[in-house]
Every structure is written in C-alpha cells, then in structure tokens.
mmCIF file of all heavy atoms in Angstrom:
data_model
loop_
_atom_site.group_PDB
_atom_site.id
_atom_site.type_symbol
_atom_site.label_atom_id
_atom_site.label_comp_id
_atom_site.label_asym_id
_atom_site.label_seq_id
_atom_site.Cartn_x
_atom_site.Cartn_y
_atom_site.Cartn_z
ATOM 1 N N LEU A 18 2.946 9.242 12.717
ATOM 2 C CA LEU A 18 2.900 10.525 11.765
ATOM 3 C C LEU A 18 3.544 10.035 10.450
ATOM 4 O O LEU A 18 3.148 10.593 9.346
ATOM 5 C CB LEU A 18 3.675 11.631 12.296
ATOM 6 C CG LEU A 18 2.900 12.352 13.474
ATOM 7 C CD1 LEU A 18 3.743 13.363 14.001
ATOM 8 C CD2 LEU A 18 1.497 12.863 13.027
ATOM 9 N N ASP A 19 4.574 9.136 10.488
ATOM 10 C CA ASP A 19 5.027 8.715 9.126
ATOM 11 C C ASP A 19 4.088 8.095 8.232
ATOM 12 O O ASP A 19 4.068 8.201 7.075
ATOM 13 C CB ASP A 19 6.288 7.692 9.420
ATOM 14 C CG ASP A 19 5.858 6.456 10.183
ATOM 15 O OD1 ASP A 19 4.825 6.457 10.917
ATOM 16 O OD2 ASP A 19 6.477 5.410 9.864
ATOM 17 N N SER A 20 3.263 7.302 8.973
ATOM 18 C CA SER A 20 2.119 6.604 8.119
ATOM 19 C C SER A 20 1.047 7.672 7.749
ATOM 20 O O SER A 20 0.708 7.599 6.527
ATOM 21 C CB SER A 20 1.467 5.558 8.974
ATOM 22 O OG SER A 20 0.418 4.921 8.436
ATOM 23 N N LEU A 21 0.606 8.427 8.557
ATOM 24 C CA LEU A 21 -0.425 9.496 8.371
ATOM 25 C C LEU A 21 0.007 10.403 7.282
ATOM 26 O O LEU A 21 -0.845 10.804 6.447
ATOM 27 C CB LEU A 21 -0.825 10.164 9.582
ATOM 28 C CG LEU A 21 -1.959 11.153 9.540
ATOM 29 C CD1 LEU A 21 -3.202 10.439 9.253
ATOM 30 C CD2 LEU A 21 -2.043 11.872 10.878
ATOM 31 N N SER A 22 1.227 10.868 7.277
ATOM 32 C CA SER A 22 1.775 11.892 6.276
ATOM 33 C C SER A 22 1.748 11.234 4.886
ATOM 34 O O SER A 22 1.793 12.075 3.882
ATOM 35 C CB SER A 22 3.005 12.352 6.678
ATOM 36 O OG SER A 22 4.026 11.446 6.731
ATOM 37 N N ASN A 23 1.823 9.971 4.722
ATOM 38 C CA ASN A 23 1.868 9.343 3.389
ATOM 39 C C ASN A 23 0.575 9.423 2.614
ATOM 40 O O ASN A 23 0.474 8.993 1.517
ATOM 41 C CB ASN A 23 2.443 7.898 3.382
ATOM 42 C CG ASN A 23 3.810 8.004 3.092
ATOM 43 O OD1 ASN A 23 4.287 7.632 2.052
ATOM 44 N ND2 ASN A 23 4.708 8.512 3.936
ATOM 45 N N GLY A 24 -0.415 10.048 3.144
ATOM 46 C CA GLY A 24 -1.594 10.455 2.319
ATOM 47 C C GLY A 24 -1.187 11.407 1.232
ATOM 48 O O GLY A 24 -2.034 11.764 0.328
ATOM 49 N N LEU A 25 0.057 11.971 1.260
ATOM 50 C CA LEU A 25 0.542 12.799 0.211
ATOM 51 C C LEU A 25 0.265 12.089 -1.165
ATOM 52 O O LEU A 25 0.300 12.854 -2.197
ATOM 53 C CB LEU A 25 1.943 13.151 0.430
ATOM 54 C CG LEU A 25 3.146 12.057 0.271
ATOM 55 C CD1 LEU A 25 3.668 12.036 -1.066
ATOM 56 C CD2 LEU A 25 4.190 12.497 1.298
ATOM 57 N N TYR A 26 0.393 10.769 -1.208
ATOM 58 C CA TYR A 26 0.199 10.193 -2.442
ATOM 59 C C TYR A 26 -1.243 10.195 -3.027
ATOM 60 O O TYR A 26 -1.414 10.106 -4.302
ATOM 61 C CB TYR A 26 0.573 8.581 -2.430
ATOM 62 C CG TYR A 26 2.123 8.400 -2.270
ATOM 63 C CD1 TYR A 26 2.691 8.338 -1.129
ATOM 64 C CD2 TYR A 26 2.916 8.370 -3.443
ATOM 65 C CE1 TYR A 26 3.965 8.108 -0.910
ATOM 66 C CE2 TYR A 26 4.292 8.255 -3.233
ATOM 67 C CZ TYR A 26 4.890 8.015 -2.055
ATOM 68 O OH TYR A 26 6.237 7.857 -1.935
ATOM 69 N N VAL A 27 -2.151 10.721 -2.169
ATOM 70 C CA VAL A 27 -3.643 10.790 -2.673
ATOM 71 C C VAL A 27 -3.695 12.145 -3.256
ATOM 72 O O VAL A 27 -4.683 12.345 -4.094
ATOM 73 C CB VAL A 27 -4.498 10.501 -1.424
ATOM 74 C CG1 VAL A 27 -5.942 10.801 -1.804
ATOM 75 C CG2 VAL A 27 -4.322 9.242 -0.806
ATOM 76 N N LEU A 28 -3.011 13.057 -2.618
ATOM 77 C CA LEU A 28 -3.270 14.503 -3.005
ATOM 78 C C LEU A 28 -3.099 14.903 -4.556
ATOM 79 O O LEU A 28 -3.954 15.745 -5.072
ATOM 80 C CB LEU A 28 -2.340 15.497 -2.307
ATOM 81 C CG LEU A 28 -2.745 15.389 -0.797
ATOM 82 C CD1 LEU A 28 -1.646 16.300 -0.095
ATOM 83 C CD2 LEU A 28 -4.166 15.954 -0.630
ATOM 84 N N PRO A 29 -2.232 14.196 -5.357
ATOM 85 C CA PRO A 29 -2.172 14.399 -6.891
ATOM 86 C C PRO A 29 -3.528 14.223 -7.443
ATOM 87 O O PRO A 29 -4.083 14.847 -8.315
ATOM 88 C CB PRO A 29 -1.113 13.502 -7.384
ATOM 89 C CG PRO A 29 -0.152 13.462 -6.262
ATOM 90 C CD PRO A 29 -1.192 13.354 -4.997
ATOM 91 N N GLY A 30 -4.358 13.045 -6.892
ATOM 92 C CA GLY A 30 -5.574 12.763 -7.409
ATOM 93 C C GLY A 30 -6.658 13.745 -7.114
ATOM 94 O O GLY A 30 -7.465 14.170 -7.933
ATOM 95 N N VAL A 31 -6.508 14.385 -5.877
ATOM 96 C CA VAL A 31 -7.425 15.553 -5.435
ATOM 97 C C VAL A 31 -7.144 16.707 -6.381
ATOM 98 O O VAL A 31 -8.013 17.351 -6.881
ATOM 99 C CB VAL A 31 -7.155 15.889 -4.092
ATOM 100 C CG1 VAL A 31 -8.041 17.054 -3.579
ATOM 101 C CG2 VAL A 31 -7.463 14.655 -3.146
ATOM 102 N N VAL A 32 -5.958 17.024 -6.611
ATOM 103 C CA VAL A 32 -5.567 18.163 -7.451
ATOM 104 C C VAL A 32 -6.071 17.884 -8.956
ATOM 105 O O VAL A 32 -6.783 18.928 -9.387
ATOM 106 C CB VAL A 32 -3.962 18.277 -7.737
ATOM 107 C CG1 VAL A 32 -3.571 19.369 -8.709
ATOM 108 C CG2 VAL A 32 -3.475 18.654 -6.356
ATOM 109 N N ALA A 33 -5.950 16.762 -9.456
ATOM 110 C CA ALA A 33 -6.501 16.486 -10.787
ATOM 111 C C ALA A 33 -7.974 16.538 -10.852
ATOM 112 O O ALA A 33 -8.552 17.106 -11.810
ATOM 113 C CB ALA A 33 -5.867 15.088 -11.186
ATOM 114 N N TYR A 34 -8.729 15.968 -9.968
ATOM 115 C CA TYR A 34 -10.079 16.003 -9.810
ATOM 116 C C TYR A 34 -10.660 17.485 -9.839
ATOM 117 O O TYR A 34 -11.567 17.838 -10.599
ATOM 118 C CB TYR A 34 -10.565 15.198 -8.674
ATOM 119 C CG TYR A 34 -12.190 15.003 -8.715
ATOM 120 C CD1 TYR A 34 -12.669 13.783 -9.232
ATOM 121 C CD2 TYR A 34 -13.103 16.001 -8.245
ATOM 122 C CE1 TYR A 34 -14.061 13.544 -9.191
ATOM 123 C CE2 TYR A 34 -14.322 15.883 -8.110
ATOM 124 C CZ TYR A 34 -14.920 14.515 -8.611
ATOM 125 O OH TYR A 34 -16.191 14.312 -8.667
ATOM 126 N N ALA A 35 -9.982 18.237 -8.884
ATOM 127 C CA ALA A 35 -10.430 19.601 -8.685
ATOM 128 C C ALA A 35 -10.112 20.431 -10.124
ATOM 129 O O ALA A 35 -10.899 21.411 -10.487
ATOM 130 C CB ALA A 35 -9.603 20.220 -7.647
ATOM 131 N N ALA A 36 -8.996 20.088 -10.804
ATOM 132 C CA ALA A 36 -8.630 20.730 -12.053
ATOM 133 C C ALA A 36 -9.723 20.648 -12.982
ATOM 134 O O ALA A 36 -10.056 21.515 -13.870
ATOM 135 C CB ALA A 36 -7.359 20.293 -12.442
ATOM 136 N N VAL A 37 -10.371 19.440 -13.108
ATOM 137 C CA VAL A 37 -11.257 19.039 -14.185
ATOM 138 C C VAL A 37 -12.745 19.445 -13.850
ATOM 139 O O VAL A 37 -13.428 20.145 -14.507
ATOM 140 C CB VAL A 37 -11.107 17.605 -14.580
ATOM 141 C CG1 VAL A 37 -12.295 17.194 -15.567
ATOM 142 C CG2 VAL A 37 -9.884 17.282 -15.118
ATOM 143 N N GLU A 38 -13.045 19.045 -12.552
ATOM 144 C CA GLU A 38 -14.537 19.253 -12.064
ATOM 145 C C GLU A 38 -14.622 20.571 -11.437
ATOM 146 O O GLU A 38 -15.903 20.990 -11.342
ATOM 147 C CB GLU A 38 -14.824 18.087 -11.089
ATOM 148 C CG GLU A 38 -16.257 18.056 -10.704
ATOM 149 C CD GLU A 38 -17.108 17.609 -11.912
ATOM 150 O OE1 GLU A 38 -16.836 17.239 -13.187
ATOM 151 O OE2 GLU A 38 -18.375 17.651 -11.725
ATOM 152 N N GLY A 39 -13.575 21.171 -10.855
ATOM 153 C CA GLY A 39 -13.800 22.455 -10.111
ATOM 154 C C GLY A 39 -14.193 22.304 -8.751
ATOM 155 O O GLY A 39 -14.351 23.289 -7.951
ATOM 156 N N VAL A 40 -14.481 21.104 -8.097
ATOM 157 C CA VAL A 40 -14.964 20.918 -6.857
ATOM 158 C C VAL A 40 -14.056 19.689 -6.308
ATOM 159 O O VAL A 40 -13.368 18.982 -6.966
ATOM 160 C CB VAL A 40 -16.465 20.470 -6.801
ATOM 161 C CG1 VAL A 40 -17.284 21.689 -7.276
ATOM 162 C CG2 VAL A 40 -16.851 19.305 -7.451
ATOM 163 N N ALA A 41 -14.282 19.414 -5.008
ATOM 164 C CA ALA A 41 -13.601 18.236 -4.349
ATOM 165 C C ALA A 41 -14.124 16.809 -4.759
ATOM 166 O O ALA A 41 -15.373 16.829 -4.944
ATOM 167 C CB ALA A 41 -13.657 18.446 -2.869
ATOM 168 N N PRO A 42 -13.276 15.953 -4.820
ATOM 169 C CA PRO A 42 -13.777 14.611 -4.911
ATOM 170 C C PRO A 42 -14.674 14.141 -3.706
ATOM 171 O O PRO A 42 -14.538 14.820 -2.602
ATOM 172 C CB PRO A 42 -12.612 13.755 -5.138
ATOM 173 C CG PRO A 42 -11.454 14.454 -4.461
ATOM 174 C CD PRO A 42 -11.913 15.950 -4.606
ATOM 175 N N PRO A 43 -15.468 13.082 -3.749
ATOM 176 C CA PRO A 43 -16.131 12.694 -2.556
ATOM 177 C C PRO A 43 -15.234 12.457 -1.306
ATOM 178 O O PRO A 43 -14.240 11.820 -1.510
ATOM 179 C CB PRO A 43 -16.771 11.381 -3.046
ATOM 180 C CG PRO A 43 -16.866 11.506 -4.505
ATOM 181 C CD PRO A 43 -15.678 12.150 -4.881
ATOM 182 N N ALA A 44 -15.688 12.939 -0.249
ATOM 183 C CA ALA A 44 -14.735 12.809 1.040
ATOM 184 C C ALA A 44 -14.519 11.479 1.342
ATOM 185 O O ALA A 44 -13.440 11.017 1.805
ATOM 186 C CB ALA A 44 -15.484 13.503 2.190
ATOM 187 N N SER A 45 -15.501 10.456 1.109
ATOM 188 C CA SER A 45 -15.246 9.163 1.463
ATOM 189 C C SER A 45 -14.188 8.565 0.543
ATOM 190 O O SER A 45 -13.414 7.622 0.965
ATOM 191 C CB SER A 45 -16.596 8.393 1.296
ATOM 192 O OG SER A 45 -17.139 8.447 0.019
ATOM 193 N N ALA A 46 -14.111 8.963 -0.758
ATOM 194 C CA ALA A 46 -13.073 8.440 -1.540
ATOM 195 C C ALA A 46 -11.640 8.905 -1.144
ATOM 196 O O ALA A 46 -10.763 8.124 -1.119
ATOM 197 C CB ALA A 46 -13.341 8.866 -3.093
ATOM 198 N N VAL A 47 -11.510 10.102 -0.783
ATOM 199 C CA VAL A 47 -10.360 10.815 -0.332
ATOM 200 C C VAL A 47 -9.998 10.036 0.983
ATOM 201 O O VAL A 47 -8.766 9.521 1.097
ATOM 202 C CB VAL A 47 -10.378 12.342 -0.093
ATOM 203 C CG1 VAL A 47 -9.132 12.809 0.458
ATOM 204 C CG2 VAL A 47 -10.742 12.983 -1.345
ATOM 205 N N ALA A 48 -10.903 9.778 1.978
ATOM 206 C CA ALA A 48 -10.521 9.203 3.151
ATOM 207 C C ALA A 48 -10.148 7.760 3.055
ATOM 208 O O ALA A 48 -9.163 7.193 3.682
ATOM 209 C CB ALA A 48 -11.695 9.362 4.131
ATOM 210 N N GLY A 49 -10.866 7.133 2.124
ATOM 211 C CA GLY A 49 -10.494 5.695 1.932
ATOM 212 C C GLY A 49 -9.193 5.474 1.305
ATOM 213 O O GLY A 49 -8.336 4.602 1.572
ATOM 214 N N ALA A 50 -8.803 6.392 0.257
ATOM 215 C CA ALA A 50 -7.499 6.356 -0.329
ATOM 216 C C ALA A 50 -6.447 6.827 0.579
ATOM 217 O O ALA A 50 -5.362 6.181 0.630
ATOM 218 C CB ALA A 50 -7.511 7.313 -1.525
ATOM 219 N N TRP A 51 -6.753 7.620 1.537
ATOM 220 C CA TRP A 51 -5.643 8.030 2.544
ATOM 221 C C TRP A 51 -5.324 6.905 3.429
ATOM 222 O O TRP A 51 -4.270 6.520 3.692
ATOM 223 C CB TRP A 51 -6.195 9.153 3.441
ATOM 224 C CG TRP A 51 -5.136 10.053 3.964
ATOM 225 C CD1 TRP A 51 -4.287 9.744 5.104
ATOM 226 C CD2 TRP A 51 -4.737 11.498 3.506
ATOM 227 N NE1 TRP A 51 -3.475 10.709 5.405
ATOM 228 C CE2 TRP A 51 -3.718 11.739 4.369
ATOM 229 C CE3 TRP A 51 -5.096 12.292 2.530
ATOM 230 C CZ2 TRP A 51 -2.975 13.023 4.280
ATOM 231 C CZ3 TRP A 51 -4.396 13.493 2.453
ATOM 232 C CH2 TRP A 51 -3.387 13.792 3.349
ATOM 233 N N LEU A 52 -6.363 6.138 3.948
ATOM 234 C CA LEU A 52 -6.256 5.016 4.769
ATOM 235 C C LEU A 52 -5.498 3.927 3.914
ATOM 236 O O LEU A 52 -4.467 3.155 4.430
ATOM 237 C CB LEU A 52 -7.495 4.444 5.256
ATOM 238 C CG LEU A 52 -8.249 5.253 6.285
ATOM 239 C CD1 LEU A 52 -9.660 4.978 6.482
ATOM 240 C CD2 LEU A 52 -7.546 5.084 7.593
ATOM 241 N N TRP A 53 -5.839 3.796 2.664
ATOM 242 C CA TRP A 53 -4.931 2.711 1.943
ATOM 243 C C TRP A 53 -3.466 3.124 1.799
ATOM 244 O O TRP A 53 -2.579 2.422 1.969
ATOM 245 C CB TRP A 53 -5.517 2.735 0.453
ATOM 246 C CG TRP A 53 -4.595 2.176 -0.482
ATOM 247 C CD1 TRP A 53 -4.568 0.718 -0.678
ATOM 248 C CD2 TRP A 53 -3.528 2.653 -1.426
ATOM 249 N NE1 TRP A 53 -3.559 0.390 -1.663
ATOM 250 C CE2 TRP A 53 -2.950 1.696 -2.094
ATOM 251 C CE3 TRP A 53 -3.153 4.088 -1.532
ATOM 252 C CZ2 TRP A 53 -1.806 1.860 -2.891
ATOM 253 C CZ3 TRP A 53 -2.116 4.177 -2.498
ATOM 254 C CH2 TRP A 53 -1.507 3.210 -3.108
ATOM 255 N N ALA A 54 -3.210 4.526 1.600
ATOM 256 C CA ALA A 54 -1.835 4.972 1.520
ATOM 257 C C ALA A 54 -1.096 4.692 2.823
ATOM 258 O O ALA A 54 0.085 4.454 2.877
ATOM 259 C CB ALA A 54 -1.767 6.452 1.187
ATOM 260 N N MET A 55 -1.798 4.940 3.947
ATOM 261 C CA MET A 55 -1.205 4.624 5.340
ATOM 262 C C MET A 55 -0.711 3.135 5.357
ATOM 263 O O MET A 55 0.329 3.003 5.838
ATOM 264 C CB MET A 55 -2.135 5.107 6.365
ATOM 265 C CG MET A 55 -2.440 6.532 6.543
ATOM 266 S SD MET A 55 -3.803 6.899 7.670
ATOM 267 C CE MET A 55 -3.258 6.232 9.282
ATOM 268 N N GLY A 56 -1.667 2.219 4.985
ATOM 269 C CA GLY A 56 -1.363 0.877 5.098
ATOM 270 C C GLY A 56 -0.133 0.515 4.111
ATOM 271 O O GLY A 56 0.714 -0.195 4.497
ATOM 272 N N MET A 57 -0.224 1.123 2.893
ATOM 273 C CA MET A 57 0.869 0.793 1.920
ATOM 274 C C MET A 57 2.176 1.366 2.431
ATOM 275 O O MET A 57 3.127 0.575 2.181
ATOM 276 C CB MET A 57 0.390 1.451 0.483
ATOM 277 C CG MET A 57 1.200 1.056 -0.583
ATOM 278 S SD MET A 57 1.038 -0.685 -1.059
ATOM 279 C CE MET A 57 2.602 -1.432 -0.671
ATOM 280 N N HIS A 58 2.240 2.510 2.855
ATOM 281 C CA HIS A 58 3.510 2.941 3.462
ATOM 282 C C HIS A 58 4.091 2.150 4.453
ATOM 283 O O HIS A 58 5.236 1.700 4.476
ATOM 284 C CB HIS A 58 3.320 4.456 3.868
ATOM 285 C CG HIS A 58 4.549 4.921 4.638
ATOM 286 N ND1 HIS A 58 4.613 4.696 6.044
ATOM 287 C CD2 HIS A 58 5.631 5.505 4.450
ATOM 288 C CE1 HIS A 58 5.728 5.196 6.567
ATOM 289 N NE2 HIS A 58 6.431 5.668 5.414
ATOM 290 N N THR A 59 3.214 1.706 5.397
ATOM 291 C CA THR A 59 3.704 0.909 6.631
ATOM 292 C C THR A 59 4.125 -0.489 6.185
ATOM 293 O O THR A 59 5.064 -0.902 6.755
ATOM 294 C CB THR A 59 2.734 1.000 7.732
ATOM 295 O OG1 THR A 59 2.229 2.332 7.931
ATOM 296 C CG2 THR A 59 3.270 0.269 8.961
ATOM 297 N N PHE A 60 3.381 -1.001 5.270
ATOM 298 C CA PHE A 60 3.894 -2.271 4.752
ATOM 299 C C PHE A 60 5.258 -2.184 4.009
ATOM 300 O O PHE A 60 6.034 -3.114 4.251
ATOM 301 C CB PHE A 60 2.720 -2.755 3.657
ATOM 302 C CG PHE A 60 3.024 -4.112 3.168
ATOM 303 C CD1 PHE A 60 2.499 -5.301 3.778
ATOM 304 C CD2 PHE A 60 3.620 -4.290 1.862
ATOM 305 C CE1 PHE A 60 2.789 -6.527 3.423
ATOM 306 C CE2 PHE A 60 3.848 -5.630 1.499
ATOM 307 C CZ PHE A 60 3.404 -6.648 2.145
#
C-alpha cells in the first residue's frame, strides 16, 4: 500500500490535463505513470 499510494505524484498531471482539455488523459498513460511512481517510491 505504501508503494501503490504513491501514485499521488501522478494526480497533479491528471488535474492539469483535465483543467486544459476538460477530459481525462489516456488511461494507459495514467496507469503507466502510476506504475512508474510505484517503482520510484520503492526504489
């Protein structure tokens, strides 16, 4: 859960994308970034 919760670092990008485009960014980009954040946190 410590690793999984660090997807929090991705959420500012989701907020910013939605603010400009009005819709969600591609789900694959969010999921990929979330997995990256999990690895980065645990490293």
Side-chain angles (χ1 to χ4, degrees):
L18 287 181
D19 63 329
S20 177
L21 186 63
S22 64
N23 260 252
L25 68 90
Y26 286 95
V27 178
L28 293 177
V31 177
V32 172
Y34 189 98
V37 175
E38 188 70 7
V40 297
S45 57
V47 176
W51 203 286
L52 286 161
W53 167 84
M55 290 172 62
M57 190 67 247
H58 166 266
T59 308
F60 183 84

